[in-house]
C-alpha cells in the first residue's frame, strides 16, 4: 500500500483532473482540421474502460507485472471516486456513466464529473471551494449541459437546424445536410427535418402533392382565360408550388413567391437557381432590388419577396392568390380579397382539421364563429364552414364569390373560389349563408328557411318525425354554413383536361369523381369526349374565352363588365342553379340494417337511380352516397335490396319477409309515401 501511494499513478490522476493527459483517441482524417472530442464521448463501454489504462508518455510503470492494480475513473475526480480494482471500475462506469449517456450517430455522450464545468461560487465567493457539477459535453458544439433531458433537447435542436456534423470532425461541406427532392419535374432542396413544420424553416410535405396538383390545374385553367396573369404563393416555404407554376406555364404567368422567414427566402432563391430560374428579390416595401439573377425580367424570372402575407396582399393586386398557412387561414382572408382582381381566383388550404372536423369545437367557434358537432358528413360540413368564412370576408370588400371547387381529405380542406366584384354579387353570396338543423337520432338534416321570422316549431322543417317519437330534444342547430353549390362542373372539366395535358396522374381520378359528384351522376355515365369544348364552356358569373372572341373584348383589368355580359352571367347563373347537386350525403354503413347484408355500393346506386332519384358517389366519404332522396326512402330501398345474414347463398334482390315484418313494412311504406308527397311540395331535403 505504501508503494501504491508513492507510485506514479497519482500524478496521472492529477493530469486527468486537469484534462491535460495525452489521450490515445482516434484522430481526425488527414487534411481535416478539427477539435478533438472530449474523453466523455465514446462509441463503446470498452473504449471508456481503456482510458483508465492510459498514462502520459514520460511516466513508466514501477509496478511489477500484476493484474490487480487500482485504476482511477477517467470521468470522476479523486475526491469523488477513488482508484479501485478493474471489476469495480467496470461496474462504476456502466452504472454511473454509461447508462445515463445520450446517444447520437453511434457515439455516447457520457456524464462527466471532471472540473470542466464551473458552477456558482459559494457564499465566500471563492470558486476554488465550490463543488463541480455533473454535466454532458455536446458532440456538435462542445457546450456543457447539466441535465440529461436538456442535453437531449439540445441535440434535437441541432438536428432540426441541420447541424449534424460534429466539430471534432469538421468537413467543409455547407450544403451536405440538404436533401434534394423532385416533384412534377421540379427539384427542391430541403433540410433533413423538412416534414416538421414547427421546427423547420423549409417545410415540405410530400403528402400534399395532390393538393399542389389541384391548385396547379386551377391556375392552368385561369391562364387559358387571360394572359399573362399575376399569381402569388403567399407562404412559399421551399417555393415548390411557385416553381411548378413558372416551370410549366412559362410566359402565361408572372409568379411571386412570398415568405416572411429569412431562411425560407434564401432556400427559395437556391431552389430557383437549382431549376435554372432567375430571381428578382424584393425584401422591403419601397425598394425593388434585383439582388440575384443575370438579366432582366422575362418568362423565367420569379419574384421572391420577404414580407408578411397581409402586407404584400394589401400593397399589390393579383389575379390568382393561394393561401396555405400552418393552421387556419381566416387571418389572411380580408387582405386576400382587398386587392384581388375581378374574375380572379383565390384558393386556400386549411390544415386545422381538428377544429374543422369537430374534434375541437371551441376552436371552430373561435376561428370561424360556427357551432358544429361530429356528424356522418363532417368533411362536407368542414368545407361549408370554410366557404362561409370566405364569403363573409369577400362581402366586407363588396365582392361575391363563385365556388369552383371544395375538397376535404384526410390532411387538408381545399377551397377554390372565383371573385365577382360588386355589391350585388356580394349580397347574393351572403344570402347563401344559413343555419342547418341536424337530427341527432337519424342524422337527417335540412337548412333553415330564408327569412328573419321566428319559427313556432323548427322541428317541423325536418323530414323525419324523431321529435314526436323520441323523448326530449332531438335536433341541434349548426352553422352558419354555406348552403350553395360546392362545385362548378364546367371548371372541373377544364381542370381535368389540364391534368391530362400535363400528366398529373394523381389528380385525374379525384377530378373525375368531382365531375360526377357535381353532375350527380355515376362514373359509368362519365364521358371522356366532353372534357373540354371551348365553344360550349359556360360558368356561373364568368364569361369564358372562345376562339371567336379576343381577350380585349371580354375582359379589361380594373373595369366593370358591360351590362350585356352581366345579363348573360345572370341568365347562366339562374340556369345552373336549377341543376345544382344535392346537399350532403348519406353513409351506407351508418344506415345499414342489423342482421342484413347490404347490396354492393354500385348496385345500390343503380337501385336509387331506377327509383327516379339523382345519385352519385362522393369524394368526402368512400362509402357515401350523394342523392336527393329523403332519408326515409333511402332506408326503404336499402332494406328492400338487402338479404338476411342467415340466407348467405341467396342472390341480391327483393327480400321475402314474414307476415309480421310485412305488416310493419306497410306502415313504413305509408310513412314513406307521405314523405314523398312532402318532397314534391317543396318540404324535402333541399334549400328553401
Amino acid at each position: 500500500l505504501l508503494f501504491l501511494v508513492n507510485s506514479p499513478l497519482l500524478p496521472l490522476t492529477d493530469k486527468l483532473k486537469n484534462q491535460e493527459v495525452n489521450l490515445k483517441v482516434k484522430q481526425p482524417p488527414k487534411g481535416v482540421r478539427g477539435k478533438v472530442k472530449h474523453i466523455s464521448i465514446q462509441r463503446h463501454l470498452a473504449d471508456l474502460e481503456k482510458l483508465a489504462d492510459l498514462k502520459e508518455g514520460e511516466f513508466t510503470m514501477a509496478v511489477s507485472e500484476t493484474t490487480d492494480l487500482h485504476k482511477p475513473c477517467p470521468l470522476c475526480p479523486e475526491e469523488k471516486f477513488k482508484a479501485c480494482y478493474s471489476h469495480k471500475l467496470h461496474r462504476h462506469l456502466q452504472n454511473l456513466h454509461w447508462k445515463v449517456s445520450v446517444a447520437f450517430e453511434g457515439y455516447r455522450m457520457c456524464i462527466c464529473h471532471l472540473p470542466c464545468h464551473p458552477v456558482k461560487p459559494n457564499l465566500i465567493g471563492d470558486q476554488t471551494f465550490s463543488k463541480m457539477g455533473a454535466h454532458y459535453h455536446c458532440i456538435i458544439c462542445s457546450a456543457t449541459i447539466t441535465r440529461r433531458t436538456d442535453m437531449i433537447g439540445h441535440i434535437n435542436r441541432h438536428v432540426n437546424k441541420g447541424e449534424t456534423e460534429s466539430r471534432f470532425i469538421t468537413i467543409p461541406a455547407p450544403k451536405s445536410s440538404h436533401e434534394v427532392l423532385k416533384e412534377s419535374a421540379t427539384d427542391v432542396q430541403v433540410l433533413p427535418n423538412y416534414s416538421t413544420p414547427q421546427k423547420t424553416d423549409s417545410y415540405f410535405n410530400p403528402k400534399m402533392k395532390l393538393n399542389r396538383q389541384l391548385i396547379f390545374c386551377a391556375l392552368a385553367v385561369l391562364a387559358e382565360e387571360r394572359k399573362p396573369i399575376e399569381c402569388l404563393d403567399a407562404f412559399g416555404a421551399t417555393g415548390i408550388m411557385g416553381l411548378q407554376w413558372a416551370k410549366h406555364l412559362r410566359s402565361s404567368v408572372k409568379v411571386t413567391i412570398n415568405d416572411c422567414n429569412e431562411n425560407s427566402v434564401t432556400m427559395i432563391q437556391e431552389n430557383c437557381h437549382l431549376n435554372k430560374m432567375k430571381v428578382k428579390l424584393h425584401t422591403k416595401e419601397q425598394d425593388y432590388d434585383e439582388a440575384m439573377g443575370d438579366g432582366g425580367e422575362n418568362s423565367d424570372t420569379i419574384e421572391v419577396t420577404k414580407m408578411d402575407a397581409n402586407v404584400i396582399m394589401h400593397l399589390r393586386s393579383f389575379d390568382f392568390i393561394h393561401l396555405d398557412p400552418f393552421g387556419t387561414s381566416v387571418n389572411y382572408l380580408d387582405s386576400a380579397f382587398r386587392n384581388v382582381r375581378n374574375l380572379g381566383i383565390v384558393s386556400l388550404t386549411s390544415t386545422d382539421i381538428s377544429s374543422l372536423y369537430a374534434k375541437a369545437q371551441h376552436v371552430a367557434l373561435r376561428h370561424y364563429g360556427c357551432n358544429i358537432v361530429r356528424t356522418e358528413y363532417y368533411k362536407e360540413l368542414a368545407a361549408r364552414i370554410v366557404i362561409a368564412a370566405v364569403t363573409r370576408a369577400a362581402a366586407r370588400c363588396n365582392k361575391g364569390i363563385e365556388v369552383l371547387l371544395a375538397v376535404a381529405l384526410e390532411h387538408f380542406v381545399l377551397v377554390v373560389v372565383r371573385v365577382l366584384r360588386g355589391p350585388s354579387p356580394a349580397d347574393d353570396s351572403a344570402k347563401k349563408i344559413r343555419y342547418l338543423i341536424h337530427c341527432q337520432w337519424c342524422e337527417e338534416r335540412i337548412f333553415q328557411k330564408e327569412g328573419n321570422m321566428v319559427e313556432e316549431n323548427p322541428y317541423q322543417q325536418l323530414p323525419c318525425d324523431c321529435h314526436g317519437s323520441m323523448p326530449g330534444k332531438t335536433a341541434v342547430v349548426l352553422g352558419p354554413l354555406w348552403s350553395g353549390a360546392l362545385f362548378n362542373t364546367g371548371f372541373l372539366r377544364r381542370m381535368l383536361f389540364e391534368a391530362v395535358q400535363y400528366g398529373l396522374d394523381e389528380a385525374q381520378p379525384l377530378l373525375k369523381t368531382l365531375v360526377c359528384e357535381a353532375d350527380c351522376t355515376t362514373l359509368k355515365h362519365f364521358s371522356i369526349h366532353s372534357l373540354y369544348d371551348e365553344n360550349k364552356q359556360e360558368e356561373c358569373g364568368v364569361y369564358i374565352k372562345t376562339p371567336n372572341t379576343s381577350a380585349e373584348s371580354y375582359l379589361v383589368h380594373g373595369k366593370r363588365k358591360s351590362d350585356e355580359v352581366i345579363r348573360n352571367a345572370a341568365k347562366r347563373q339562374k340556369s345552373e342553379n336549377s341543376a345544382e347537386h344535392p346537399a350532403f350525403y348519406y353513409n351506407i354503413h351508418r344506415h345499414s340494417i342489423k342482421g342484413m347484408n347490404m347490396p354492393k355500393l354500385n348496385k345500390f346506386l343503380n337501385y336509387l337511380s331506377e327509383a327516379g332519384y339523382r345519385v352519385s358517389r362522393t369524394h368526402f366519404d368512400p362509402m357515401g352516397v350523394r342523392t336527393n332522396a329523403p332519408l326515409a326512402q333511402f332506408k326503404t330501398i336499402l332494406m328492400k335490396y338487402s338479404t338476411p345474414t342467415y340466407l348467405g347463398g341467396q342472390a341480391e334482390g327483393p327480400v321475402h319477409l314474414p307476415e309480421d315484418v310485412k305488416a310493419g313494412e306497410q306502415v313504413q311504406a305509408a310513412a314513406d309515401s307521405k314523405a314523398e308527397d312532402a318532397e314534391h311540395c317543396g318540404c324535402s331535403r333541399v334549400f328553401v
Side-chain angles (χ1 to χ4, degrees):
L1 292 176
L2 292 176
F3 174 76
L4 289 176
V5 170
N6 298 324
S7 66
L9 287 176
L10 292 181
L12 176 61
T13 306
D14 296 337
K15 292 295 183 179
L16 284 172
K17 288 171 59 177
N18 298 324
Q19 289 186 324
E20 296 175 357
V21 65
N22 184 19
L23 300 177
K24 295 181 181 179
V25 296
K26 185 178 179 181
Q27 298 296 328
K30 293 183 178 181
V32 178
R33 295 182 180 179
K35 181 179 178 180
V36 178
K37 68 180 184 296
H38 192 262
I39 60 175
S40 63
I41 303 174
Q42 299 295 332
R43 286 188 178 272
H44 306 285
L45 179 60
D47 298 335
L48 195 61
E49 294 177 357
K50 291 178 182 179
L51 295 177
D53 298 329
L54 296 178
K55 54 186 177 297
E56 206 167 24
E58 59 184 271
F59 291 99
T60 57
M61 294 295 296
V63 187
S64 61
E65 296 180 359
T66 176
T67 57
D68 293 335
L69 295 178
H70 287 70
K71 299 179 181 180
C73 176
L75 300 180
C76 294
E78 183 183 3
E79 58 268 17
K80 181 175 178 61
F81 183 81
K82 295 182 179 181
C84 62
Y85 291 110
S86 58
H87 66 280
K88 292 185 178 180
L89 178 63
H90 173 80
R91 185 166 59 248
H92 166 78
L93 292 175
Q94 184 177 13
N95 295 334
L96 185 64
H97 296 282
W98 192 258
K99 284 188 177 180
V100 293
S101 61
V102 177
F104 177 74
E105 293 186 353
Y107 284 91
R108 289 291 189 96
M109 291 168 279
C110 302
I111 191 169
C112 175
H113 293 271
L114 295 176
C116 47
H117 179 74
V119 297
K120 295 181 179 180
N122 55 6
L123 297 177
I124 304 176
D126 190 357
Q127 183 70 37
T128 306
F129 295 98
S130 61
K131 294 184 178 180
M132 296 299 157
H135 56 276
Y136 295 88
H137 291 267
C138 179
I139 190 175
I140 299 175
C141 65
S142 302
T144 56
I145 298 176
T146 56
R147 301 180 61 182
R148 184 175 184 271
T149 55
D150 296 340
M151 187 65 196
I152 295 175
H154 178 78
I155 291 295
N156 290 335
R157 283 191 291 272
H158 279 302
V159 174
N160 293 334
K161 294 179 181 179
E163 301 171 354
T164 57
E165 290 293 342
S166 303
R167 287 194 175 183
F168 62 88
I169 308 178
T170 305
I171 301 176
K175 295 185 180 179
S176 60
S177 61
H178 290 175
E179 180 181 354
V180 178
L181 304 177
K182 189 171 185 178
E183 179 182 299
S184 300
T186 305
D187 297 326
V188 289
Q189 59 180 3
V190 296
L191 295 176
N193 58 334
Y194 61 86
S195 60
T196 309
Q198 298 95 335
K199 299 180 180 180
T200 181
D201 297 328
S202 61
Y203 178 57
F204 177 80
N205 190 359
K207 296 180 180 179
M208 300 291 283
K209 180 179 179 180
L210 178 59
N211 175 274
R212 287 187 284 270
Q213 290 186 357
L214 291 174
I215 296 168
F216 175 82
C217 293
L219 179 61
V221 172
L222 182 63
E224 293 295 329
E225 300 176 9
R226 60 177 90 170
K227 295 181 182 180
I229 59 176
E230 297 184 30
C231 48
L232 170 67
D233 182 9
F235 300 89
T238 60
I240 176 66
M241 190 173 298
L243 287 171
Q244 291 177 354
W245 299 348
K247 196 165 188 177
H248 295 287
L249 299 178
R250 294 290 180 179
S251 59
S252 300
V253 294
K254 295 180 180 179
V255 180
T256 301
I257 306 177
N258 176 74
D259 203 290
C260 62
N261 187 280
E262 185 175 357
N263 296 331
S264 296
V265 172
T266 303
M267 183 73 69
I268 293 171
Q269 296 172 9
E270 295 176 359
N271 289 332
C272 289
H273 289 292
L274 186 63
N275 291 273
K276 300 179 181 180
M277 296 285 182
K278 297 180 181 180
V279 180
K280 181 180 178 182
L281 186 62
H282 176 205
T283 58
K284 296 182 180 180
E285 300 179 10
Q286 286 82 14
D287 58 351
Y288 283 86
D289 298 331
E290 188 173 345
M292 302 183 68
D294 300 327
E297 183 177 356
N298 52 32
S299 59
D300 294 337
T301 301
I302 296 179
E303 184 176 357
V304 180
T305 60
K306 179 181 174 297
M307 299 184 192
D308 185 86
N310 286 319
V311 174
I312 188 172
M313 288 186 292
H314 272 287
L315 291 176
R316 297 176 52 186
S317 298
F318 294 95
D319 299 289
F320 185 92
I321 297 176
H322 176 63
L323 303 175
D324 187 8
F326 178 69
T328 181
S329 56
V330 294
N331 299 325
Y332 307 95
L333 293 179
D334 290 334
S335 303
F337 285 98
R338 177 182 176 88
N339 284 333
V340 63
R341 293 193 176 103
N342 190 28
L343 302 183
I345 290 180
V346 175
S347 65
L348 59 147
T349 302
S350 299
T351 54
D352 55 333
I353 57 176
S354 61
S355 59
L356 291 175
Y357 289 173
K359 295 180 181 179
Q361 302 175 10
H362 62 287
V363 181
L365 180 62
R366 186 197 321 145
H367 288 167
Y368 300 94
C370 181
N371 295 306
I372 55 175
V373 295
R374 186 78 170 191
T375 62
E376 65 170 325
Y377 51 94
Y378 65 94
K379 288 188 177 181
E380 182 171 344
L381 204 65
R384 294 185 180 274
I385 292 172
V386 176
I387 298 175
V390 171
T391 304
R392 289 191 293 267
R396 286 191 291 268
C397 299
N398 282 336
K399 294 182 176 70
I401 66 166
E402 160 73 14
V403 181
L404 304 176
L405 170 67
V407 174
L409 297 179
E410 181 181 0
H411 305 287
F412 63 91
V413 176
L414 172 64
V415 172
V416 181
V417 299
R418 192 187 290 272
V419 180
L420 307 176
R421 191 177 63 181
S424 296
D427 295 340
D428 295 339
S429 300
K431 290 178 182 178
K432 295 182 180 180
I433 299 179
R434 302 182 190 175
Y435 285 90
L436 181 75
I437 303 177
H438 170 79
C439 179
Q440 298 189 92
W441 284 96
C442 66
E443 301 246 3
E444 183 62 288
R445 76 290 302 208
I446 189 172
F447 280 101
Q448 282 187 350
K449 296 180 180 180
E450 185 179 0
N452 299 325
M453 303 303 295
V454 179
E455 287 284 337
E456 182 178 355
N457 187 7
Y459 291 100
Q460 293 180 353
Q461 299 185 33
L462 284 170
C464 64
D465 59 345
C466 296
H467 179 65
S469 58
M470 300 294 179
K473 299 178 180 180
T474 59
V476 293
V477 177
L478 308 180
L481 307 172
W482 171 260
S483 63
L486 299 179
F487 314 102
N488 187 293
T489 307
F491 193 86
L492 288 174
R493 289 183 179 274
R494 293 195 290 156
M495 284 182 62
L496 181 56
F497 176 81
E498 298 295 341
V500 174
Q501 184 177 5
Y502 288 98
L504 306 179
D505 298 332
E506 294 189 9
Q508 293 179 25
L510 178 59
L511 287 173
K512 290 180 181 178
T513 303
L514 292 176
V515 171
C516 295
E517 189 174 359
D519 288 336
C520 201
T521 183
T522 55
L523 191 59
K524 69 177 184 178
H525 297 102
F526 178 79
S527 176
I528 192 68
H529 301 289
S530 60
L531 283 182
Y532 188 75
D533 188 358
E534 283 189 337
N535 293 315
K536 297 181 180 180
Q537 288 302 314
E538 293 184 355
E539 296 177 12
C540 173
V542 180
Y543 190 71
I544 301 303
K545 176 183 176 182
T546 60
N548 298 327
T549 59
S550 61
E552 293 79 12
S553 63
Y554 74 95
L555 179 62
V556 179
H557 289 302
K559 295 184 178 180
R560 294 182 181 275
K561 296 184 294 183
S562 63
D563 296 338
E564 182 180 358
V565 175
I566 293 178
R567 287 194 298 269
N568 294 336
K571 291 179 181 178
R572 284 192 296 271
Q573 184 174 4
K574 186 176 180 180
S575 62
E576 282 201 3
N577 286 342
S578 60
E580 205 171 82
H581 60 80
F584 298 111
Y585 55 89
Y586 299 111
N587 185 287
I588 188 173
H589 282 284
R590 170 67 177 79
H591 302 286
S592 60
I593 296 93
K594 186 177 180 180
M596 305 288 287
N597 290 329
M598 298 183 303
K600 298 294 183 180
L601 182 58
N602 291 332
K603 290 186 177 180
F604 180 68
L605 296 179
N606 294 334
Y607 298 149
L608 282 174
S609 181
E610 292 173 359
Y613 297 104
R614 299 176 63 195
V615 62
S616 70
R617 301 188 68 168
T618 176
H619 80 280
F620 292 113
D621 188 353
M623 299 304 296
V625 178
R626 185 180 295 276
T627 177
N628 60 344
L631 182 59
Q633 193 67 20
F634 183 91
K635 290 182 176 180
T636 300
I637 297 177
L638 184 62
M639 177 69 180
K640 180 179 180 181
Y641 292 97
S642 298
T643 58
T645 54
Y646 56 84
L647 298 178
Q650 180 176 336
E652 293 181 354
V655 183
H656 302 284
L657 301 175
E659 294 297 331
D660 54 346
V661 179
K662 286 184 178 180
E665 187 179 6
Q666 292 177 359
V667 176
Q668 179 67 23
D672 295 339
S673 61
K674 179 181 179 181
E676 190 173 359
D677 295 338
E679 176 191 4
H680 295 296
C681 296
C683 298
S684 63
R685 186 177 51 85
V686 295
F687 304 139
V688 290

